[in-house]
Amino acid sequence: MTLSFQSRRRSALALGAIAALVLAAGPAAAQGSWPTKPVRIVVPFAPGGTTDLLARAVAPELSKAFGQQFIVDNRAGAGGNVGAEIVAKAPNDGYTLLMGTVGTHGINRALYPKLPYDPIKDFAPITLVAAVPNVMEMNADKARALNINSVADFVKYTKANPGKLNMASSGSGTSIHLAGELFKTMTGSFMTHIPYRGSGPALLDLVGGNADVMFDNLPSSMQQIKGGKLKALAVTSSKRSPALPDVPTVEEAGGPMLKGYEASSWFGLLAPAGTPPEIVNRIQQEVAKSLGTAAIKEKMLAQGAIPSGNSPAEFAKMIDSEHAKWAKVVKASGAKVD
């Protein structure tokens, strides 16, 4: 049967309309089916630190929720800047995320003369995973040998022996480094800074006696403190940690010279700027759901982490305020990139 010109024309118009509808629905359909392949969570530090621990706590929960693997990818270097840059320049399709920190998104802009990424413009905040205090701790054997049992003892020793103790950190410009620099500035004490490629390697050297003191994130050090390998002198938050109720704050232990001292840390998920809001919101909702379960909440609190799961808008507002806060701290402490 031969179709008339008018019939062929009507068929062509109908097919064109269908094609237009399919094309228009394409992005929405793609977003709705996300994820169709594994998702990478970049951790900008070496394995073993709190950033890594929190990413590995969240990843399996997201894998179960979305039916695709969420894989932790450690990319350490430059105080978290290497990993952050990888995510900032990744496609904004929801398949590359960052476990950002107070360092990558609060401190580094003030500390580094030039960043390879913009912590505000290059990222879409998803949710704050957890906030944690840092803990001022020493190798337990070294503390016993030097008869250092408190912050006061520590300050007295370092003033009498400047440079004889070394201070490990997870990298130049991290909250662990800056907490120590602020302590040095406020007390007039001096320790030699040794930056590592993450909290995990630094912690290994601290436990092994190759480093003397560290202002580590509490969750990654909790096991060694409980096991007696490390001596906790104080926590860096404004209030004591429920996980270590008998350990004073730095301000409490240090007296007038350390009045107002506070240097806590936080960790949250971010995506490249331009990631579809639907994907961002779906991830936030599942993270918040998992952090609200009794098992994960109790596990985090026992390690000294306070779970969050706030909204993307709330997390974005928090990041803005952290920039202003840490810029003042960096300036006051005189901290510099090594």
Side-chain angles (χ1 to χ4, degrees), residues 41-269:
I41 301 177
V42 174
V43 170
F45 297 100
T50 299
T51 318
D52 183 65
L53 294 175
L54 290 175
R56 293 181 190 279
V58 168
E61 299 300 316
L62 292 174
S63 297
K64 285 189 288 185
F66 290 108
Q68 287 287 347
Q69 287 297 308
F70 280 67
I71 301 166
V72 174
D73 182 11
N74 297 88
R75 296 298 187 95
N81 292 341
V82 171
E85 181 184 10
I86 288 171
V87 178
K89 296 179 178 178
N92 54 6
D93 54 8
Y95 290 98
T96 305
L97 309 177
L98 175 73
M99 182 60 82
T101 70
V102 64
T104 60
H105 283 75
I107 296 172
N108 289 3
R109 177 186 260 181
L111 196 70
Y112 287 80
K114 186 177 180 180
L115 283 182
Y117 63 92
D118 187 306
I120 301 295
K121 295 179 181 179
D122 291 344
F123 294 89
I126 299 174
T127 188
L128 174 69
V129 174
V132 304
N134 290 7
V135 57
M136 181 184 179
E137 59 195 9
M138 286 190 70
N139 174 281
D141 291 336
K142 191 64 168 280
R144 278 192 292 270
L146 299 177
N147 198 29
I148 296 176
N149 297 299
S150 66
V151 170
D153 291 341
F154 184 88
V155 172
K156 182 179 179 181
Y157 180 86
T158 52
K159 283 189 172 182
N161 302 276
K164 284 194 176 181
L165 294 183
N166 60 58
M167 179 183 76
S169 83
S170 52
S172 295
T174 61
S175 67
I176 294 172
H177 171 212
L178 202 58
E181 293 293 344
L182 184 59
F183 182 91
K184 287 160 63 175
T185 298
M186 294 179 73
T187 60
S189 56
F190 178 72
M191 303 92 79
T192 302
H193 177 221
I194 302 178
Y196 289 77
R197 291 174 64 85
S199 177
L203 199 58
L204 284 175
D205 264 10
L206 185 66
V207 171
N210 296 318
D212 303 317
V213 64
M214 188 173 172
F215 289 73
D216 192 27
N217 304 139
L218 184 52
S220 50
S221 282
M222 182 65 77
Q223 184 177 354
Q224 301 295 348
I225 292 171
K226 295 289 189 182
K229 298 290 186 181
L230 299 177
K231 181 173 181 60
L233 297 177
V235 291
T236 66
S237 48
S238 60
K239 297 179 180 179
R240 294 193 182 199
S241 169
L244 291 176
D246 296 330
V247 177
T249 67
V250 170
E251 182 176 19
E252 283 180 317
M257 76 173 70
L258 285 163
K259 183 174 177 57
Y261 180 99
E262 182 182 2
S264 297
S265 301
W266 54 260
F267 308 83
L269 284 173

Side-chain angles (χ1 to χ4, degrees), residues 260-337:
Y261 180 99
E262 182 182 2
S264 297
S265 301
W266 54 260
F267 308 83
L269 284 173
L270 303 101
T275 299
E278 178 187 345
I279 293 176
V280 168
N281 290 331
R282 287 176 66 192
I283 296 172
Q284 183 273 327
Q285 289 162 10
E286 292 301 334
V287 171
K289 189 185 300 182
S290 67
L291 293 178
T293 62
I296 290 185
K297 183 183 287 185
E298 289 172 9
K299 183 178 180 181
M300 284 194 175
L301 290 173
Q303 292 296 317
I306 302 170
S308 176
N310 62 2
S311 72
E314 290 169 333
F315 189 29
K317 185 177 180 180
M318 175 187 157
I319 290 173
D320 285 339
S321 67
E322 286 290 282
H323 278 299
K325 169 188 171 181
W326 285 101
K328 294 177 182 177
V329 173
V330 169
K331 184 177 180 180
S333 69
K336 296 179 181 179
V337 177

